[in-house]
Each structure stands twice: as C-alpha cells, then as structure tokens.
Amino acid sequence: MELVMIIVIGFLFAAATYLMLSKSLLRIIIGTGLLSHGAHLLLLTMGGLKEGAPPLLGEHAERYVDPLPQALILTAIVISFGVTAFFLVLAYRSYQELGTDNMEQMRGKEEDD
Amino acid sequence: MINLLLLPILIPLVTAILLIFFKDRVVWQKALSLVAILFQLAASVLLVRRVYLEGIQTLNIGSWPAPFGITLVSDMLSALLVLTTSIVALACLIYSFYAIGKEREKFYYYSFFQFLLVGVNGAFTTGDIFNLFVFFEVMLMSSYVLLVLGGTKMQLRETIKYTLVNVISSALFVIAVGYLYAVTGTLNMAHLSIRIAELGQSSVLTIIAVLFLIVFGLKGAIFPLYFWLPGSYYAPPTPVLALFGGLLTKVGVYSILRTFTLLFYHDTSYTHALLGWLSMATIVVGVIGAIAYRNLRQIVIYNIIVAVGVITFGISLMSPESLEGSIFYLLQDMVMKSVLFLLVGIVVYVTGTNDLNKFSGLIQSYPLLGWLFFIVALSLAGVPPFSGFIGKLLIVKASLTEGLLFEAIIVLLSSLLVLYSVMKIFMNGFWGEKKGYEPKPIGALYVPVVFLILLSVLYGVGIEFIRPFIVEATSVLVDPMIYIQAVLKE
C-alpha cells in the first residue's frame, strides 16, 4: 500500500514542479496546491498505513492508527490554507496593478515603475 | 518562575493581539509596542542571566514529559540570540516611528512587527522539530505581509517571488520532517539526537541531513539557494529591511547550526564537508555581488550573503574554536547588518536615490553620519578594536588548525573585499564635492543607529566580558549530551 502511495505522491510532485516552472502565475499557484497535497499525503504515508481503528478511544479497538501524523497534517493543512489564500489575493492585486499574470514580464527594478 | 523562557514569545504575541483592536490610534500603537519591546528586552536579559547561573532552562508545555509533549529549550545560544533579536527589534521599532509613514502604520504595521518577533523568538527557543516548522511559518507569514504592506508595484512583484520560494521550502521542510519521523519515530530534538546516534547515521539519515541543509539553506541564503534574496530585499521600506536583514536569514543559519551539531554530527566527512564547500561558494558569490554593484542596497544585501557563508563555514569545521567564532560572528552580524541598512536608509532619505553615482560630499553636511558609517565599515571588515574581529579570527585559526589553508585565505580575502565594498560607499558618497542632495534635518533617526553602533563597539572592546557566555553556548554545541540530559532528565 505504501508503495502505491509513494508512486502517486511522486506524480503529484512531478506535476507540481512542472506547473511551478510555467509562465502563468495561476498555474504556479495550482502547482503549490499540488505540492502541499503531496507533502501532506507523504506525512500520512510515512507515519505508516497499517490496519487499525480511527484514533478514538471510544472505539475500544486492539490497535489504532498512529495519531501523531494526523495532527501534523491538520496543522500543515491550515498553514498552507492561510498561505495559499494570501498568495491568491496577492496574485489578484498584482494582476490589477501590473496588468499581467505572465512571470516573464514581472522583471525589473524600481526605475521601471 | 519556570515560565521565564516563554516570556520572549508571549510578550510580543499578547502585544500583537492587543494592537489589532485600535488600528487608527497610531500614538497608542507606538507607545504599546515600545513598552512591549522594552519588557521583552528585560525578559531576555533575565533569561540570559538565569541560563548563565543555573544552566539550560527547559519547559514542558502542559507538563507532559519530554519526548511526548512540546518542550521549549533555552540554552545559552538561544538565550543570546533572543537577546540580540530584542535589541535589533528595539532599534528597528524606534526607526519605524519616524520613517514608516501613516498609511502603513494604520494598517496593522506594528501588529505584524510583533508577530514577526513571535516567530523569530519561538524558532530560537523551541526543542521540537515540527514546532520549529510552525514558528518558521509564523515568521514567514508576517514577513510576507511586511514585505507587501504599502502595495507598490515593486513590492507586489518581489513578494510574489519571495512567497513562492518560501512556499516551496516550507513544503520541503514538511517532507523532510515526514522522512525523519518515518526513520526515527519522534519529533523532539533531544530524543531525535539519541535515536540518530543509535542508528549511527545510516545513509538514509545522511540524505535527510542534506534535505534539511537544502531547506534551511533556502531560508538562510547559502549558495546555490540565495537567488531569491537580492530581489526580495530590494523592495521593502528601510525599517522592515533592517529587521529582515538582521533576523530572517540568521534563523536559517541557527537552524543549520542546531541540526548539524545536535542531530546529524556522526558522518561529518560527507555532510560537513558539503557544508564547507557550499560556504566557500557562498562567500565568493556574495563578494562578487558586493563589489559589482554601485547601488547602496545591493551592496549591503550581498554583504549579508558573505556573512552567512563565513558563519556556516565556521559550523562546518565542527571544532570548539570554530563554533565559538561562528557564534561571536553571528551575534555581531545580526546587529551590524541592521545598522547598515538603517544607515543606508538615512542616506537614501537625504539624497533620494540608491545610486552611488548620483551624489557625493555628504560628510560636509553630515559629519556624524559619515564617521558612524566609517566605524560600521571597519567593524564589518573585522578591524581589531571593533566587533567583527574576534569571530573571524577564531574561524581562521580553526581553519588553519584543520590544515585548510586555502579556505582561511578565502575568508581573509573576503574581509578585504567586504571592506572595499563598503569603503566604496564611504569614499564615493561621503567624500568629494558636494552634489546631488539638499541638506535636511535627520535628528531622531540617529537614535537607533547610535544605540546599535555603541553596543557593537562595546561588544568589540568587551570581549573578555562576553566570552564566558559564548563559551557556555559553545559547550552545548560541542557536547550534545548536555542538551539531551537537560531535556530528557535522565
């Protein structure tokens, strides 16, 4: 099971890298989304994918899945939500101000403004 | 009062939250943030004293025993860094009062300032690798906003690049933590150190060590991961820039120092040799940039890169002497880089340009400013009575003890070229005939600059007074067992 997950995560990372190397800013942001998906799935996989009950003591199971990676992922998800929301608004503002979403045209120094 | 080590995190956090409630009362904003910084400074002085008298301070949050809960650890190194952060922040805050402008102040500037300090102080104090990630994000999120606040075209453009690079490096950090957790099954740094020692740094741990080097190298701008820094640091206003230049890259350097002395110190022939070569390349790249530009900000920005290279070179040698040199150099460099940005800010305020070709003869109207700049230039290069000397001396000495003659020569040559790059500003900008500016009063802007320069001169002169603290900080880095025993209480 871990092997399948690792291959899928590898595809996510490849797609994220490809998108982040493109010219359009929105594609880049989609790439960062895929990258954080990959990272979160990786945390889950690396914690181990063995059979077990959900980590709720009310389940009275013999063994539970590891609760720590789930807490880490939850933290990482909200952080990347915050950053992505900020990044999207930043992209919107710079589209308004600079009039382009092409990264090739976002060059230059203060003299060019 | 076992919670003393929490105060440098708690005080700015509470202040930042309070500051949200009255965003239009600028005077109150200023007063409250000034009082908070003074309290934070007092708390960090007490913390240094406490660590000096009683040894490493640890605090298990929520009373959960060490590997299971989050532990905050304040050894001498992190206490000194927290103290330096408070000093730099105080100076930048006072400078902000006069320089940042109403339109930014009314949009939560001081709140973000305090949140940045929460992140930095937290990153210096934490003893848990995932908690370090969270504090990194607190720091980075505030830095994104401080970078873009004001919304000029250049700020928008550069914030996009800065945010993208840091999003990627944060994802890599999460990935690295995931790998490390899979191998060791723990996140507490002291416990990690034990587990890694038991595994004897197998090849997979070396790979993880290099991944951490990439992550922290992206934060701390070492070669070849420095590419985002020159553009991003060109955009923000002066006090924000001074804060960034003093604190942000140094958190990355501290993380390298911590992980490579506490966690991954078993296979130094690979990881530390790699760090050594990268440091050399960092120094060379920084020096090339510093002498290539005739733009005030770019010169100082490339000087940051040179200093990062020198510090990480000291780390890569892993001898008590070189680590001591790195700590000496790290502390003074945090202060010197912010003071240099503040000085450049004053010059730009007077002349209205960053271009060194467009003005000269400043010393005729501003003798004090000129001689202050001269002192800073000498300290930066490491001329003996001033602050940058002892750190570089120890690093060069350690390098020669290891038989690394070539590297020692590069460090010494880099000092020469750094001196050339700042003297270029001094000789072209301050000497010569008077042109390119109209004298205007700069009274209060002197206050933070003189404060920091005075401290740095005292640091240089009073090495014998400071040395016991640095030696204690080094002892923990040289012998990780001290740290482990303090945290896990075996």
Side-chain angles (χ1 to χ4, degrees):
Chain A
M1 189 61 197
E2 278 90 345
L3 189 66
V4 179
M5 287 295 281
I6 285 166
I7 292 167
V8 172
I9 293 163
F11 272 112
L12 278 176
F13 285 160
T17 313
Y18 177 75
L19 282 171
M20 286 189 296
L21 290 174
S22 58
K23 279 184 194 169
S24 156
L25 185 53
L26 268 184
R27 279 166 158 263
I28 291 173
I29 297 177
I30 294 170
T32 61
L34 289 184
L35 183 68
S36 52
H37 280 329
H40 301 152
L41 283 176
L42 186 93
L43 268 183
L44 192 70
T45 312
M46 286 292 152
L49 293 174
K50 305 187 181 56
E51 294 282 319
L56 298 166
L57 288 179
E59 296 279 322
H60 300 294
E62 290 218 340
R63 49 200 294 262
Y64 297 91
V65 295
D66 190 350
L68 190 65
Q70 302 191 8
L72 301 187
I73 292 166
L74 198 59
T75 313
I77 285 175
V78 290
I79 289 174
S80 70
F81 262 7
V83 174
T84 309
F86 173 79
F87 204 175
L88 280 167
V89 174
L90 182 66
Y92 177 63
R93 276 286 293 151
S94 46
Y95 181 68
Q96 284 181 324
E97 287 281 322
L98 306 172
T100 177
D101 80 329
N102 188 338
M103 290 302 279
E104 296 251 304
Q105 290 172 9
M106 292 194 198
R107 289 186 179 173
K109 290 264 165 60
E110 61 188 335
E111 294 86 57
D112 310 335
D113 287 337
Chain B
M1 187 62 181
I2 58 161
N3 292 333
L4 179 63
L5 77 166
L6 205 54
L7 286 184
I9 306 172
L10 216 52
I11 292 172
L13 179 64
V14 173
T15 316
I17 293 169
L18 289 179
L19 286 173
I20 295 172
F21 291 106
F22 45 95
K23 70 162 191 149
D24 291 326
R25 304 266 183 99
V26 172
V27 179
W28 287 99
Q29 295 256 332
K30 287 179 178 175
L32 181 58
S33 21
L34 184 64
V35 170
I37 294 267
L38 290 175
F39 269 106
Q40 192 197 319
L41 189 62
S44 40
V45 170
L46 282 180
L47 181 61
V48 170
R49 185 166 167 273
R50 170 78 73 86
V51 174
Y52 185 64
L53 293 177
E54 298 171 19
I56 299 178
Q57 298 290 305
T58 62
L59 175 67
N60 294 324
I61 304 289
S63 299
W64 296 95
F68 305 114
I70 286 175
T71 312
L72 295 182
V73 187
S74 217
D75 63 347
M76 186 47 94
L77 174 62
S78 61
L80 286 175
L81 286 169
V82 167
L83 176 62
T84 316
T85 304
S86 312
I87 291 168
V88 168
L90 176 63
C92 292
L93 185 76
I94 294 173
Y95 194 95
S96 305
F97 290 167
Y98 301 102
I100 199 73
K102 278 270 187 298
E103 71 275 21
R104 285 192 171 94
E105 280 174 328
K106 282 193 174 174
F107 286 93
Y108 307 102
Y109 173 78
Y110 294 111
S111 218
F112 287 117
F113 191 101
Q114 299 286 342
F115 274 123
L116 187 82
L117 295 183
V118 175
V120 173
N121 285 339
F124 286 145
T125 313
T126 187
D128 182 285
I129 198 99
F130 196 77
N131 198 230
L132 179 67
F133 165 74
V134 175
F135 277 122
F136 260 114
E137 288 302 310
V138 173
M139 174 185 92
L140 289 172
M141 198 72 196
S142 333
S143 73
Y144 303 151
V145 179
L146 284 174
L147 189 59
V148 82
L149 194 67
T152 64
K153 284 184 178 174
M154 185 172 58
Q155 279 180 304
L156 286 168
R157 221 166 31 211
E158 295 305 333
T159 309
I160 288 175
K161 295 168 195 167
Y162 178 75
T163 311
L164 180 62
V165 167
N166 280 302
V167 166
I168 295 169
S169 78
S170 300
L172 283 176
F173 198 168
V174 173
I175 293 164
V177 169
Y179 287 152
L180 194 58
Y181 180 70
V183 175
T184 60
T186 181
L187 294 171
N188 181 294
M189 288 200 214
H191 200 210
L192 271 173
S193 178
I194 293 180
R195 290 271 173 93
I196 290 173
E198 280 167 2
L199 294 166
Q201 190 131 358
S202 53
S203 56
V204 72
L205 280 166
T206 306
I207 292 170
I208 295 172
V210 174
L211 190 53
F212 271 109
L213 183 61
I214 292 172
V215 170
F216 296 139
L218 266 168
K219 316 270 185 201
I222 65 175
F223 178 87
L225 306 165
Y226 69 95
F227 54 85
W228 53 272
L229 188 127
S232 302
Y233 279 26
Y234 198 79
T238 301
V240 175
L241 182 57
L243 206 59
F244 283 15
L247 304 179
L248 294 195
T249 52
K250 306 306 183 294
V251 181
V253 172
Y254 164 79
S255 306
I256 293 177
L257 181 54
R258 186 61 84 194
T259 47
F260 277 64
T261 53
L262 181 64
L263 305 180
F264 308 110
Y265 59 91
H266 304 280
D267 186 15
T268 51
S269 64
Y270 187 80
T271 49
H272 291 62
L274 178 68
L275 184 61
W277 282 110
L278 291 181
S279 310
M280 281 299 124
T282 311
I283 294 174
V284 171
V285 166
V287 159
I288 290 173
I291 53 180
Y293 280 95
R294 290 184 68 81
N295 180 308
L296 299 174
R297 275 199 175 183
Q298 293 289 10
I299 292 172
V300 186
I301 286 168
Y302 278 98
N303 273 319
I304 296 181
I305 300 176
V306 179
V308 166
V310 171
I311 298 166
T312 50
F313 176 63
I315 299 169
S316 76
L317 294 175
M318 277 300 275
S319 68
E321 203 169 37
S322 74
L323 289 172
E324 198 183 325
S326 278
I327 299 173
F328 263 119
Y329 200 74
L330 177 61
L331 295 178
Q332 71 91 24
D333 190 60
M334 289 168 79
V335 172
M336 292 320 291
K337 287 292 135 61
S338 7
V339 88
L340 204 51
F341 277 121
L342 294 179
L343 277 171
V344 164
I346 294 178
V347 172
V348 173
Y349 169 72
V350 171
T351 62
T353 176
N354 271 309
D355 191 343
L356 205 47
N357 295 325
K358 288 191 179 152
F359 64 90
S360 59
L362 276 177
I363 201 126
Q364 293 170 31
S365 309
Y366 302 102
L368 177 61
L369 187 69
W371 295 116
L372 286 176
F373 194 90
F374 185 69
I375 292 176
V376 170
L378 292 184
S379 321
L380 207 64
V383 174
F386 297 113
S387 62
F389 172 66
I390 181 77
K392 268 189 188 158
L393 175 73
L394 288 169
I395 291 173
V396 168
K397 221 171 125 192
S399 170
L400 291 175
T401 319
E402 301 273 320
L404 300 170
L405 181 65
F406 176 67
E407 280 84 347
I409 290 173
I410 289 205
V411 171
L412 290 175
L413 270 181
S414 81
S415 296
L416 187 68
L417 294 172
V418 159
L419 183 64
Y420 167 72
S421 73
V422 273
M423 276 303 165
K424 189 169 65 182
I425 302 180
F426 183 71
M427 292 179 61
N428 285 297
F430 286 92
W431 288 359
E433 60 182 282
K434 195 171 155 183
K435 68 158 190 182
Y437 71 95
E438 289 299 319
K440 45 182 161 180
I442 49 175
L445 293 179
Y446 274 127
V447 175
V449 174
V450 172
F451 166 67
L452 286 185
I453 291 176
L454 209 62
L455 276 180
S456 87
V457 170
L458 285 177
Y459 183 93
V461 176
I463 288 168
E464 285 305 316
F465 173 73
I466 296 161
R467 189 140 185 274
F469 297 93
I470 309 274
V471 168
E472 195 178 325
T474 315
S475 68
V476 178
L477 298 180
V478 175
D479 183 8
M481 280 317 286
I482 303 175
Y483 185 97
I484 294 167
Q485 275 162 0
V487 175
L488 298 178
K489 311 243 169 30
E490 283 170 340

